[in-house]
Amino acid sequence: RPEPAARKPEATTAAAAGKKPDAAKKGAAPARGAERKNDRRQSGKLTVNRALNDDEGARARSLAALKRAREKERRAQFSGRSQPREKQVRDVVVPEAITVQELANRMAEKGADLVKALFNMGMMVTVNQTIDQDTAELLVEEFGHNIERVSASDVDINAEADVDAPETLKPRAPVVTIMGHVDHGKTSLLDALRGTDVVRGEAGGITQHMGAYQIKTKGGEKITFLDTPGHAAFTQMRMRGANVTDIVILVVAADDGIMPQTIEAINHTKAAGVPMIVAINKCDKHEANPQKVRERLLEHEIVVEAMSGEVQDVEVSAKTGKGLDELIEKILLQAEFMELKANPDREAEATVIEAKLDKGKGPVATVLVRRGTLKRGDIFVVGTESGRVRAMNDDKGKQVKEAGPSMPIEVLGLGGVPMAGDTLTVVESEQRAREVSSWRQEQATAKRTASAPTSLDTMFSALKAKQDVIEYPVVIKADVQGSVEAIAAALHNLSNDEIKVRVLHSGVGAITETDVTLASASGAPIIGFNVRPNAKAREQIEKSKTAMMYYDVIYELTEEVAKQMAGIWGPERIETVVGRAQVKQVFPAGKKDKAAGLLVEEGVIRKGLHARLTRNDVIVSATTIASLRRFKDDVDEVRTGLECGVVLADTNDIRAGDQLEVFEVSHRERTLG
């Protein structure tokens, strides 16, 4: 009996022991499930491949491993020899001249292989050497490719082939050019239409730059105006104005009648084939005779409506504002009749009206958009230059993001100063822009350096002619490209069989050290038109004693050069710089005038002397010192290092940072030798 009693605890223990594993199992199952859940979370998302793959734990072979295995099989198959790759035949575009390396790139061959092939042909060349189209063709055929010949002119942009579809055209503002004789009131008429005062900013009261402006009429219509100079020297500018315009307004002074530049403007208009409106200006004057003007126009086959003709005419007065509304009505009527349209939804195309080099902004061009819309950031080619539109300003100096057809704007971001009259074309990439501009530069260089084939006879006769002709060398610097062109043309016109003007260099912007070096080496004077030398150039002028000729009116320039060339010299005008000062601050003085607070940097500032106000080495105005004050007292002169206040005669365009140069003018008779 005691035995079973002894066994009982064992059974209980066994039972307990037997139960424990089950309980442990039940308790362990959820723990393992939690582990699996965590594993699944950590192992990433369940994909279709993983769901369908039975062997979930096995690792898939990587793509690199598969490639290695295939390569191993291939090597085993070819017993160590690499499989010959199939040659790809390419269509190779070959221009008239190409470098060996560029040809190799286009053929996708090694440059060294091409050099080797050329050596075998008996040509010792390097990869950077240029070969002609025929040699390139031999190479292309030897390497088993197809050749596509193109001429270099295919590189250039052909605008004639690019014609807009009629359904894309939308109405645009008319472009109106104001033409006529000098001092007949063209700019005054435009000022009256715009409500501005451009005339006061022009030296000698005559226009010497080409301006582009846009006005909005009372009815909301826009009209673009181009103002052309009337002086004889600016023929090229007037011709450009007639070529880009839709309507020409011929301004004739009622008290002066038909003059030489009036006739020239009529001829330009006829050549361009554009309609004309005659504006008979200065009708407020007592001696005005509009009827005489109409009669004189008959001599040049211009019959106005008042005399039963087709040409519209209107009597105006820029001073009193008479007839201005009627003139605008006639412009809009003519424009409506012409149905002027352009496609604004395309890459822009524009014409350069004027170009200059600004010290702060760099090369700047005033352009007139002909078609398309010019946007900020557009990449373009203009003449031999390329660039990207960094900023655009309208005629009032306000920044704009885009410019549509017939809008005149100032473009910043050019690589260099283009020629006035060049076409600006937007291209798709910088690479294309560089390609076109470099090709045009090559063409321009080739044209400049090309010379006619000469024989010994012509060579000796040319040398003899050169000995007989006296050369008058000059270096020309002006503020805008149009003025450079006009001055060079005017000086060439002064040349005759015995004396000839030779323009050593002409450019836009301030007079630099390079200009002075060139002029002093050749003994040539530097002609500065509305520009001054910078500080370093001034030092060099003093050292080399280079002759300087500063002008702001073109006919004074041509007269002076003509006197010097002909030897009939008038009294020499000597400018002695008395002092230089910097404008520190500008204050109002009276109702209209402005006073400039100056710090005298050099010499003396005296009351009543001639003064020249310059901004970034470009002349803003030539004037005289009307009043000079130190504190509240009127003084006669202020010396170096002192501050003073001045009021300049006939100008209020003064800004802080401008330079004032004060000089005395004396005249003396010239002596030869």
Side-chain angles (χ1 to χ4, degrees), residues 243-254:
N243 288 346
V244 297
T245 192
D246 302 313
I247 302 163
V248 167
I249 293 179
L250 183 71
V251 178
V252 189

Side-chain angles (χ1 to χ4, degrees), residues 183-260:
D183 206 25
H184 274 205
K186 296 181 294 300
T187 309
S188 303
L189 183 63
L190 185 55
D191 282 343
L193 290 166
R194 290 177 72 221
T196 57
D197 192 2
V198 175
V199 172
R200 282 189 66 171
E202 293 286 359
I206 67 162
T207 302
Q208 301 185 102
H209 305 96
M210 201 155 175
Y213 314 96
Q214 195 169 56
I215 68 158
K216 203 169 187 178
T217 63
K218 289 170 187 172
E221 295 97 343
K222 286 181 179 176
I223 302 172
T224 300
F225 284 101
L226 297 183
D227 186 16
T228 62
H231 194 271
F234 296 97
T235 307
Q236 287 288 321
M237 284 200 197
R238 278 191 295 283
M239 191 172 76
R240 263 199 305 279
N243 288 346
V244 297
T245 192
D246 302 313
I247 302 163
V248 167
I249 293 179
L250 183 71
V251 178
V252 189
D255 63 335
D256 206 6
I258 308 294
M259 299 299 277

Side-chain angles (χ1 to χ4, degrees), residues 206-349:
I206 67 162
T207 302
Q208 301 185 102
H209 305 96
M210 201 155 175
Y213 314 96
Q214 195 169 56
I215 68 158
K216 203 169 187 178
T217 63
K218 289 170 187 172
E221 295 97 343
K222 286 181 179 176
I223 302 172
T224 300
F225 284 101
L226 297 183
D227 186 16
T228 62
H231 194 271
F234 296 97
T235 307
Q236 287 288 321
M237 284 200 197
R238 278 191 295 283
M239 191 172 76
R240 263 199 305 279
N243 288 346
V244 297
T245 192
D246 302 313
I247 302 163
V248 167
I249 293 179
L250 183 71
V251 178
V252 189
D255 63 335
D256 206 6
I258 308 294
M259 299 299 277
Q261 271 65 62
T262 315
I263 298 162
E264 191 194 279
I266 291 167
N267 295 336
H268 284 319
T269 309
K270 283 180 179 174
V274 290
M276 183 192 291
I277 298 169
V278 178
I280 303 169
N281 197 15
K282 302 189 182 181
C283 286
D284 57 296
K285 284 198 169 183
H286 177 67
E287 60 271 25
N289 188 350
Q291 192 56 33
K292 190 184 173 187
V293 171
R294 293 187 182 101
E295 287 166 8
R296 286 288 312 277
L297 284 168
L298 292 171
E299 295 172 22
H300 305 283
E301 298 168 17
I302 292 173
V303 187
V304 295
E305 282 180 344
M307 301 185 83
S308 309
E310 291 181 358
V311 178
Q312 295 186 90
D313 71 310
V314 56
E315 291 180 19
V316 294
S317 170
K319 208 170 184 181
T320 63
K322 175 198 169 186
L324 296 182
D325 291 341
E326 193 186 339
L327 179 62
I328 286 172
E329 272 175 37
K330 293 198 173 183
I331 292 167
L332 294 172
L333 180 72
Q334 185 70 54
E336 196 179 326
F337 176 70
M338 291 170 80
E339 293 182 352
L340 301 167
K341 289 182 179 180
N343 178 11
D345 308 314
R346 54 158 290 153
E347 289 177 333
E349 205 174 275

Side-chain angles (χ1 to χ4, degrees), residues 58-71:
R59 200 172 144 207
R61 288 179 81 184
S62 70
L63 198 64
L66 283 167
K67 278 183 180 174
R68 282 198 297 273
R70 281 178 193 155
E71 192 62 38

